[in-house]
Amino acid sequence: MTKSRQSAAAKKKPGGATRSQVPQSSREQEKAQQAPKAKRERERRVLEQGHPAVVRSIADALTTKDINLYYVVAPDAQIPLSDEHGFGLYFHDCRFLGGYEMLLAGVAPIVLASTAEKGHIALFQLTNPDLHVGQGTLIPKEELGLRWERVLDADQTRVRETISFQNFGHKAHHFSFTLGFRAGFEDIFNVRGLVRETRGKPEPPRWSGGKLQFVYHGADGFRRTTAIAFSPPPHASHDTTAEFRIRISPGDTRTISVGIELTETCEKPGHNDPEEQPNGARQMGLANLRNGSEQRLEQHTNFISDSLLLNNIVDRSLRDLGILRSRLGRDEYFAAGVPWFVALFGRDSLIVALEMLAFQPHIAAQTLRLLASYQGQRVDRWRDEEPGKILHELRVGELARAGDIPHSRFYGSVDATPLFLLLLGRYVTWTGDLELFRALRNPVERALGWIAEASDSNGYVAYRSASRKGLVNQGWKDSGDAIVRADGSIAQPPIALVEVQGYVFAA
């Protein structure tokens, strides 16, 4: 599906209309969304009701991810320059690049095929529509071939891109080629639908030495930058758009390389937060990076059957699951989902680690150590924290670090604590590794103590959020309307879920 595109300099709304041309009803909708009541409703739906996002659907997105760095783009490789969508380049709960559009002689290319099968590499095959390039000259549709490759490198927090043009025609072609960018450094919760409560200070985008740089000073004291370099340098630059003039003979190929580098540094004197910074200990060359998914699969327990179909299903499942691998400090865990839930989640990370015990038991051990290190120590109603309780969600973005939301350590989960105990028991049974159990003996005792305290007079473990911005429902069905009574009415906390009692019994 092709989409109309427009340059950043044009400052147009989606569909090609300028702001003055936007229909009255659209402007009224924009105004209504900014009303205080509408803002509170969006916040309630995202924070309390468990809605993943209230922005435009990205169900057709193509996703690439390497550890904590991930790219979510439209099927044609583009990121719309408008901001009411979830596409972008993300790192540490921040969208470092929220707009990235390619135009050939002022129009968007046509997508032919795209794939991200290897997880950290995406490949797009594109072609041109009819291009009118001046003085009556026409480049016929599908006469140019475009190959756009993206490779993510989490250790360098960098994306390497190669855009190749090939002329399949019998005439030389001359045309303009532009790349437009936008970087708002939105917190993941803002992208999902919250209206920003705390805003830092963006610097004006600037060009230097053929490189485009965006800088943002966050309210949490972190400086975030997106630097975009080109080889060869663009022939011209306009605001946040790079312009190239392509000349290509019949049968020839022209290549442009784009490097996007992200940095995040703390501007607070003496502050150091190593567990939330990229782990630079593991260096990986491009050749090894390209083979990363194969190397990870070699670490798995081998699965072989006499069914080719079953073998392929298991192989593809392990590759897909590998995309969820994330890192906090030196420990790896499985994130809950891309793009909204690339974070340490007690319930989700524990369940996936449990299901992967036969293949990668070391991630279960690392997940258990991570969650034990964040185990609740005191009563904190803002975070739903209680002594012995296992973490529900850990966020490292601007809103969490600035204290606008409780998710820098949020404990709003009733089932993470028994699942923690359950995974530890299964891990020891599977591996025979008693050292981990001995190391986590105190967290185990505290988790058992929390279960005893959380049980009601009938012995059931129930939940009721104490946080002003916490989830209403705190089991795996955490949508606000997920738990209903027999007559269809919404159940009100305290609620004792049947599966949680099963987890407690098993633990």
Side-chain angles (χ1 to χ4, degrees):
M1 179 178 67
T2 60
K3 299 180 181 179
S4 61
R5 303 284 173 183
Q6 49 279 331
S7 67
K11 297 182 179 178
K12 293 183 178 180
K13 299 294 287 182
T18 60
R19 179 168 292 274
S20 61
Q21 296 170 325
V22 174
Q24 182 68 25
S25 59
S26 298
R27 291 200 298 270
E28 290 173 352
Q29 287 293 325
E30 290 182 11
K31 184 177 180 180
Q33 289 178 1
Q34 297 304 314
K37 185 176 181 180
K39 292 180 180 180
R40 288 194 297 271
E41 174 60 19
R42 288 161 72 99
E43 177 183 283
R44 187 184 69 85
R45 290 165 66 188
V46 173
L47 294 180
E48 302 173 32
Q49 300 293 318
H51 283 252
V54 292
V55 294
R56 194 172 78 212
S57 172
I58 55 171
D60 60 346
L62 189 122
T63 299
T64 48
K65 181 176 178 292
D66 186 33
I67 308 298
N68 298 339
L69 179 67
Y70 61 100
Y71 226 142
V72 183
V73 300
D76 60 357
Q78 312 261 23
I79 303 174
L81 291 175
S82 62
D83 59 2
E84 280 295 318
H85 60 77
F87 300 112
L89 177 59
Y90 292 84
F91 178 69
H92 279 181
D93 291 329
C94 176
R95 183 164 67 180
F96 278 74
L97 192 64
Y100 188 178
E101 292 190 343
M102 171 197 291
L103 296 175
L104 306 176
V107 298
I110 301 170
V111 62
L112 299 176
S114 58
T115 180
E117 183 179 356
K118 291 188 176 181
H120 65 287
I121 300 176
L123 180 61
F124 304 86
Q125 294 288 352
L126 311 168
T127 190
N128 65 292
D130 281 347
L131 297 179
H132 300 275
V133 292
Q135 298 180 345
T137 303
L138 172 68
I139 302 178
K141 179 182 178 182
E142 299 178 355
E143 193 141 305
L144 300 174
L146 284 77
R147 185 181 188 275
W148 194 348
E149 183 184 55
R150 287 175 169 153
V151 182
L152 274 64
D153 183 348
D155 292 297
Q156 303 297 324
T157 55
R158 179 182 299 168
V159 181
R160 300 183 180 97
E161 304 194 358
T162 304
I163 304 171
S164 300
F165 300 86
Q166 186 172 1
N167 186 352
F168 291 108
H170 300 289
K171 297 180 180 179
H173 291 311
H174 305 230
F175 59 93
S176 67
F177 164 66
T178 60
L179 296 173
F181 301 90
R182 182 182 67 82
F185 299 94
E186 303 94 342
D187 186 280
I188 188 71
F189 283 89
N190 293 129
V191 179
R192 289 171 58 187
L194 264 65
V195 177
R196 189 183 297 245
E197 296 183 13
T198 301
R199 183 166 182 82
K201 298 179 181 179
E203 295 183 7
R206 66 177 182 269
W207 286 88
S208 177
K211 180 185 293 187
L212 174 62
Q213 188 172 57
F214 300 89
V215 179
Y216 177 73
H217 302 273
D220 58 346
F222 278 76
R223 181 179 188 266
R224 297 171 175 88
T225 64
T226 301
I228 307 169
F230 309 88
S231 180
H235 295 93
S237 59
H238 315 282
D239 296 330
T240 59
T241 299
E243 180 182 352
F244 301 85
R245 302 182 186 101
I246 306 297
R247 298 175 180 268
I248 184 168
S249 300
D252 277 359
T253 300
R254 292 287 183 270
T255 299
I256 294 173
S257 298
V258 181
I260 305 173
E261 186 172 357
L262 315 181
T263 59
E264 182 184 54
T265 56
C266 185
E267 298 182 304
K268 295 179 180 178
H271 181 83
N272 187 24
D273 205 350
E275 288 193 337
E276 296 177 0
Q277 298 302 311
N279 180 13
R282 179 171 60 93
Q283 300 297 327
M284 184 182 294
L286 184 58
N288 290 334
L289 182 65
R290 292 177 184 273
N291 297 323
S293 60
E294 283 74 15
Q295 292 175 348
R296 288 194 291 268
L297 287 177
E298 290 175 0
Q299 300 172 5
H300 291 155
T301 300
N302 289 329
F303 177 89
I304 301 173
S305 76
D306 57 2
S307 169
L308 180 62
L309 176 60
L310 181 58
N311 291 340
N312 288 337
I313 289 173
V314 172
D315 179 76
R316 182 55 190 265
S317 297
L318 292 174
R319 290 179 185 274
D320 289 348
L321 190 60
I323 295 177
L324 293 178
R325 288 173 60 252
S326 301
R327 185 185 299 134
L328 191 60
R330 296 186 177 183
D331 289 318
E332 291 190 352
Y333 63 92
F334 290 108
V338 182
W340 310 128
F341 305 113
V342 179
L344 178 64
F345 275 77
R347 175 194 309 116
D348 302 76
S349 300
L350 287 164
I351 289 176
V352 179
L354 178 64
E355 294 174 340
M356 284 292 287
L357 270 178
F359 295 94
Q360 288 187 319
H362 67 281
I363 292 188
Q366 293 178 53
T367 302
L368 288 164
R369 282 196 295 266
L370 264 178
L371 291 171
S373 69
Y374 289 102
Q375 190 174 27
Q377 300 295 320
R378 61 186 182 276
V379 174
D380 185 339
R381 296 173 62 87
W382 169 245
R383 303 181 189 279
D384 267 336
E385 180 181 0
E386 295 170 354
K389 198 174 184 182
I390 295 298
L391 183 85
H392 171 60
E393 181 177 358
L394 179 70
R395 294 291 186 169
V396 296
E398 180 183 12
L399 291 182
R401 283 170 166 160
D404 291 321
I405 56 176
H407 296 70
S408 58
R409 293 190 328 275
F410 182 56
Y411 294 82
S413 169
V414 71
D415 47 8
T417 307
L419 285 170
F420 173 85
L421 297 170
L422 177 59
L423 176 61
L424 179 58
R426 297 284 176 84
Y427 170 83
V428 173
T429 301
W430 184 265
T431 64
D433 180 11
L434 289 174
E435 289 304 314
L436 181 64
F437 172 77
R438 295 188 182 103
L440 299 181
R441 180 65 180 265
N442 287 335
V444 166
E445 296 288 355
R446 290 196 293 268
L448 289 169
W450 178 83
I451 290 175
E453 288 293 325
S455 300
D456 62 19
S457 58
N458 296 314
Y460 295 130
V461 176
Y463 65 81
R464 183 204 295 269
S465 176
S467 176
R468 289 189 295 106
K469 296 186 179 181
L471 285 166
V472 172
N473 285 320
Q474 301 194 348
W476 73 272
K477 295 191 295 184
D478 57 7
S479 298
D481 57 357
I483 310 300
V484 298
R485 300 182 179 277
D487 62 1
S489 62
I490 302 296
Q492 299 298 320
I495 296 173
L497 299 173
V498 63
E499 70 270 14
V500 173
Q501 317 316 313
Y503 296 156
V504 171
F505 182 84

Short mmCIF file of all heavy atoms in Angstrom, two decimals, residues 345-369:
data_model
loop_
_atom_site.label_atom_id
_atom_site.label_comp_id
_atom_site.label_asym_id
_atom_site.label_seq_id
_atom_site.Cartn_x
_atom_site.Cartn_y
_atom_site.Cartn_z
N PHE A 345 9.15 -6.97 33.08
CA PHE A 345 7.83 -7.19 33.67
C PHE A 345 7.90 -8.48 34.48
O PHE A 345 8.25 -9.54 33.95
CB PHE A 345 6.76 -7.34 32.59
CG PHE A 345 6.19 -6.05 32.09
CD1 PHE A 345 6.90 -5.26 31.21
CD2 PHE A 345 4.94 -5.62 32.51
CE1 PHE A 345 6.38 -4.06 30.75
CE2 PHE A 345 4.41 -4.42 32.05
CZ PHE A 345 5.13 -3.64 31.17
N GLY A 346 7.53 -8.39 35.78
CA GLY A 346 7.61 -9.58 36.62
C GLY A 346 6.86 -10.76 36.04
O GLY A 346 7.45 -11.81 35.75
N ARG A 347 5.56 -10.61 35.83
CA ARG A 347 4.74 -11.72 35.37
C ARG A 347 5.21 -12.25 34.01
O ARG A 347 5.46 -13.44 33.84
CB ARG A 347 3.29 -11.28 35.27
CG ARG A 347 2.36 -12.34 34.66
CD ARG A 347 1.02 -11.76 34.26
NE ARG A 347 0.41 -10.99 35.35
CZ ARG A 347 0.17 -9.69 35.29
NH1 ARG A 347 0.48 -9.00 34.20
NH2 ARG A 347 -0.37 -9.06 36.31
N ASP A 348 5.34 -11.37 33.03
CA ASP A 348 5.65 -11.79 31.67
C ASP A 348 7.05 -12.38 31.57
O ASP A 348 7.25 -13.42 30.93
CB ASP A 348 5.51 -10.60 30.72
CG ASP A 348 4.11 -10.00 30.76
OD1 ASP A 348 3.80 -9.29 31.73
OD2 ASP A 348 3.33 -10.25 29.84
N SER A 349 8.02 -11.71 32.17
CA SER A 349 9.39 -12.19 32.09
C SER A 349 9.54 -13.53 32.80
O SER A 349 10.29 -14.41 32.33
CB SER A 349 10.34 -11.15 32.70
OG SER A 349 10.25 -9.91 32.02
N LEU A 350 8.83 -13.72 33.90
CA LEU A 350 8.90 -15.00 34.62
C LEU A 350 8.24 -16.13 33.84
O LEU A 350 8.78 -17.24 33.75
CB LEU A 350 8.22 -14.85 35.99
CG LEU A 350 8.99 -14.03 37.03
CD1 LEU A 350 8.07 -13.63 38.17
CD2 LEU A 350 10.18 -14.82 37.56
N ILE A 351 7.08 -15.87 33.24
CA ILE A 351 6.38 -16.92 32.51
C ILE A 351 7.17 -17.35 31.28
O ILE A 351 7.31 -18.56 31.00
CB ILE A 351 4.96 -16.45 32.12
CG1 ILE A 351 4.08 -16.38 33.37
CG2 ILE A 351 4.33 -17.40 31.09
CD1 ILE A 351 2.68 -15.85 33.13
N VAL A 352 7.72 -16.40 30.53
CA VAL A 352 8.51 -16.78 29.35
C VAL A 352 9.78 -17.50 29.76
O VAL A 352 10.18 -18.49 29.12
CB VAL A 352 8.84 -15.53 28.50
CG1 VAL A 352 9.67 -15.93 27.29
CG2 VAL A 352 7.57 -14.85 28.04
N ALA A 353 10.43 -17.05 30.82
CA ALA A 353 11.62 -17.77 31.31
C ALA A 353 11.27 -19.19 31.72
O ALA A 353 12.04 -20.13 31.49
CB ALA A 353 12.23 -17.01 32.48
N LEU A 354 10.08 -19.37 32.33
CA LEU A 354 9.63 -20.71 32.70
C LEU A 354 9.43 -21.58 31.47
O LEU A 354 9.85 -22.74 31.43
CB LEU A 354 8.32 -20.59 33.49
CG LEU A 354 7.65 -21.90 33.93
CD1 LEU A 354 8.53 -22.65 34.91
CD2 LEU A 354 6.28 -21.61 34.55
N GLU A 355 8.81 -21.00 30.43
CA GLU A 355 8.56 -21.76 29.21
C GLU A 355 9.85 -22.05 28.43
O GLU A 355 9.89 -22.98 27.62
CB GLU A 355 7.57 -21.00 28.33
CG GLU A 355 6.19 -20.90 28.96
CD GLU A 355 5.24 -20.03 28.15
OE1 GLU A 355 5.73 -19.21 27.35
OE2 GLU A 355 4.01 -20.16 28.33
N MET A 356 10.90 -21.27 28.68
CA MET A 356 12.17 -21.45 27.97
C MET A 356 13.20 -22.23 28.79
O MET A 356 14.36 -22.33 28.40
CB MET A 356 12.75 -20.09 27.61
CG MET A 356 12.05 -19.44 26.42
SD MET A 356 12.38 -20.32 24.87
CE MET A 356 14.09 -19.85 24.60
N LEU A 357 12.79 -22.81 29.92
CA LEU A 357 13.74 -23.55 30.75
C LEU A 357 14.45 -24.66 29.98
O LEU A 357 15.64 -24.90 30.18
CB LEU A 357 13.02 -24.15 31.96
CG LEU A 357 12.95 -23.30 33.23
CD1 LEU A 357 12.16 -24.02 34.31
CD2 LEU A 357 14.35 -22.95 33.72
N ALA A 358 13.73 -25.33 29.09
CA ALA A 358 14.34 -26.43 28.34
C ALA A 358 15.34 -25.94 27.31
O ALA A 358 16.16 -26.73 26.83
CB ALA A 358 13.25 -27.25 27.65
N PHE A 359 15.29 -24.66 26.97
CA PHE A 359 16.15 -24.14 25.91
C PHE A 359 17.23 -23.19 26.43
O PHE A 359 18.38 -23.28 26.03
CB PHE A 359 15.30 -23.42 24.85
CG PHE A 359 14.36 -24.32 24.11
CD1 PHE A 359 13.05 -24.48 24.54
CD2 PHE A 359 14.79 -25.01 23.00
CE1 PHE A 359 12.18 -25.31 23.86
CE2 PHE A 359 13.92 -25.85 22.31
CZ PHE A 359 12.62 -26.00 22.74
N GLN A 360 16.88 -22.26 27.29
CA GLN A 360 17.83 -21.28 27.80
C GLN A 360 17.64 -21.07 29.30
O GLN A 360 17.16 -20.03 29.74
CB GLN A 360 17.67 -19.94 27.06
CG GLN A 360 18.16 -19.96 25.63
CD GLN A 360 18.13 -18.57 25.02
OE1 GLN A 360 17.20 -17.80 25.22
NE2 GLN A 360 19.16 -18.24 24.25
N PRO A 361 18.01 -22.04 30.12
CA PRO A 361 17.80 -21.90 31.56
C PRO A 361 18.60 -20.76 32.18
O PRO A 361 18.21 -20.24 33.24
CB PRO A 361 18.24 -23.26 32.12
CG PRO A 361 19.14 -23.83 31.06
CD PRO A 361 18.61 -23.34 29.77
N HIS A 362 19.70 -20.33 31.54
CA HIS A 362 20.50 -19.25 32.12
C HIS A 362 19.73 -17.94 32.17
O HIS A 362 19.96 -17.11 33.05
CB HIS A 362 21.81 -19.07 31.34
CG HIS A 362 21.62 -18.57 29.94
ND1 HIS A 362 21.24 -19.39 28.90
CD2 HIS A 362 21.76 -17.33 29.41
CE1 HIS A 362 21.16 -18.68 27.80
NE2 HIS A 362 21.46 -17.43 28.07
N ILE A 363 18.78 -17.72 31.22
CA ILE A 363 17.99 -16.48 31.28
C ILE A 363 17.03 -16.53 32.46
O ILE A 363 16.75 -15.50 33.08
CB ILE A 363 17.25 -16.26 29.94
CG1 ILE A 363 18.26 -15.95 28.84
CG2 ILE A 363 16.23 -15.13 30.07
CD1 ILE A 363 17.65 -15.52 27.53
N ALA A 364 16.54 -17.70 32.80
CA ALA A 364 15.70 -17.82 34.00
C ALA A 364 16.48 -17.41 35.24
O ALA A 364 15.97 -16.68 36.10
CB ALA A 364 15.18 -19.25 34.14
N ALA A 365 17.74 -17.87 35.33
CA ALA A 365 18.56 -17.51 36.48
C ALA A 365 18.80 -16.00 36.54
O ALA A 365 18.71 -15.38 37.61
CB ALA A 365 19.89 -18.26 36.42
N GLN A 366 19.08 -15.39 35.38
CA GLN A 366 19.33 -13.95 35.36
C GLN A 366 18.05 -13.17 35.69
O GLN A 366 18.10 -12.14 36.38
CB GLN A 366 19.86 -13.55 33.98
CG GLN A 366 21.24 -14.12 33.69
CD GLN A 366 21.74 -13.75 32.31
OE1 GLN A 366 21.76 -12.57 31.95
NE2 GLN A 366 22.15 -14.74 31.53
N THR A 367 16.91 -13.65 35.20
CA THR A 367 15.64 -12.99 35.50
C THR A 367 15.34 -13.04 36.99
O THR A 367 14.89 -12.05 37.59
CB THR A 367 14.51 -13.66 34.70
OG1 THR A 367 14.80 -13.58 33.30
CG2 THR A 367 13.17 -12.98 34.98
N LEU A 368 15.58 -14.19 37.60
CA LEU A 368 15.34 -14.32 39.03
C LEU A 368 16.24 -13.40 39.84
O LEU A 368 15.80 -12.76 40.80
CB LEU A 368 15.55 -15.78 39.45
CG LEU A 368 14.47 -16.77 38.98
CD1 LEU A 368 14.96 -18.20 39.09
CD2 LEU A 368 13.19 -16.57 39.79
N ARG A 369 17.51 -13.31 39.44
CA ARG A 369 18.42 -12.41 40.17
C ARG A 369 17.99 -10.95 40.01
O ARG A 369 18.03 -10.17 40.97
CB ARG A 369 19.86 -12.61 39.65
CG ARG A 369 20.55 -13.86 40.21
CD ARG A 369 22.05 -13.78 39.98
NE ARG A 369 22.37 -13.80 38.55
CZ ARG A 369 22.68 -14.90 37.87
NH1 ARG A 369 22.70 -16.08 38.50
NH2 ARG A 369 22.98 -14.84 36.59
#
